[in-house]
Each structure stands twice: as C-alpha cells, then as structure tokens.
Amino acid sequence: MGVDLYSGNKNKGVRPEINVTPLVDVVLVLLIIFMVITPLLVRQFWVHIPEQEKKEVKQESKTNTEEPLVLCILPKNKLLINGNVKVSLEELPQRLKRVFAARDDHVLFVDIEDHANYGFAVEVMDRAREGGAVTIAVLTKPLAKN
C-alpha cells in the first residue's frame, strides 16, 4: 500500500493522473506553425480601382482631344514616349515636365513589355513622378485608337 503524499493517508490503489506532456507538445507545434505562417499571410497587394459612371467617361472622351501620354518600357532598359520618341532615364523628368507644361492633365500611362526589368520599371515610374506625373496608370491592354 502506498502513502498519499498530499494528505498522508494510505491509498489502497493507484491514483490516476493526466499526462499533459503530449498536449503541451502539440500546442507548441501549433504555435510554431502559426508563427511561421502569419507573416506570409500579411504580404498582399491590394489595388482599389474606383468605378466611374459611363456618363463621365463619355464626357471626358468628347472634351479631351489630346492624345494620351504613353511611356513604353522595353527590354534592355529602353524608353519610348508615345511609341516613337526615344528618351533616356536621366532626361525623362525634364522631358515630362515640358510635355506636362503643354497639357491640362498630368496623367501618364505606362506600358511595360513582358521581358522588361521590373526594378528598372519601378525606377522609371519614380522618375516620372519627379517629372510631374500626378497619376501613373499601368496599361494592361493597348489603348484603343479613335
């Protein structure tokens, strides 16, 4: 017969105890998994595109007779303005300042070719912002010619 350690009484049987070690191991493994996965879930890029009424778009297209300003970023770090004017990265801000001085809007459309350098494209958009571009829109489809 055993002696109860807590009360000092004699026990006639074995006292059942819950083994919590496997439970603690499972909880720690789950904690580690969530700690690893949580930072990966936060890295998302959301783009909110405002919806426009069809009337506004029609009115803008009628009153706006200027051709949109499109900056093409080609492979091997080449730049074209409106598809025909070659420009270097260094002279881009000055060229855009001159172009925007003659325009009412400061909207720049950026057309990036498939094999263009992503880092270069980001740097070009930063330089375009220096050149006075207020709105920079990345083209997903070619602009329709009227």
Side-chain angles (χ1 to χ4, degrees):
M1 284 197 227
V3 178
D4 189 7
L5 297 175
Y6 297 110
S7 63
N9 297 334
K10 291 184 179 179
N11 260 346
K12 293 185 179 181
V14 178
R15 183 175 175 187
E17 294 181 17
I18 297 175
N19 188 4
V20 294
T21 305
L23 177 66
V24 170
D25 290 343
V26 169
V27 170
L28 284 176
V29 167
L30 287 174
L31 178 67
I32 290 170
I33 289 171
F34 285 123
M35 286 173 60
V36 169
I37 291 176
T38 301
L40 299 175
L41 296 176
V42 177
R43 297 182 185 188
Q44 295 178 353
F45 183 69
W46 294 97
V47 177
H48 298 285
I49 301 172
E51 294 182 15
Q52 295 181 350
E53 295 180 13
K54 292 182 180 180
K55 292 180 182 177
E56 290 180 16
V57 174
K58 289 180 182 177
Q59 289 175 354
E60 287 180 11
S61 64
K62 290 179 183 176
T63 60
N64 190 4
T65 59
E66 293 180 345
E67 192 174 303
L69 182 62
V70 179
L71 177 66
C72 298
I73 302 174
L74 304 173
K76 298 182 182 175
N77 300 344
K78 294 181 182 177
L79 300 173
L80 293 176
I81 295 179
N82 283 346
N84 56 7
V85 179
K86 291 183 182 179
V87 66
S88 68
L89 182 63
E90 291 77 24
E91 65 177 334
L92 180 66
Q94 289 79 22
R95 181 72 65 107
L96 288 178
K97 284 179 185 178
R98 287 184 296 207
V99 171
F100 286 135
R103 291 176 163 260
D104 293 332
D105 65 343
H106 290 241
V107 178
L108 176 69
F109 292 97
V110 179
D111 185 16
I112 305 171
E113 293 292 323
D114 291 336
H115 299 290
N117 185 351
Y118 175 75
F120 179 71
V122 171
E123 187 175 355
V124 166
M125 287 188 272
D126 287 339
R127 293 287 178 98
R129 183 74 67 184
E130 289 175 22
V134 176
T135 303
I136 298 176
V138 179
L139 291 178
T140 57
K141 296 180 183 176
L143 288 175
K145 299 287 182 178
N146 291 334

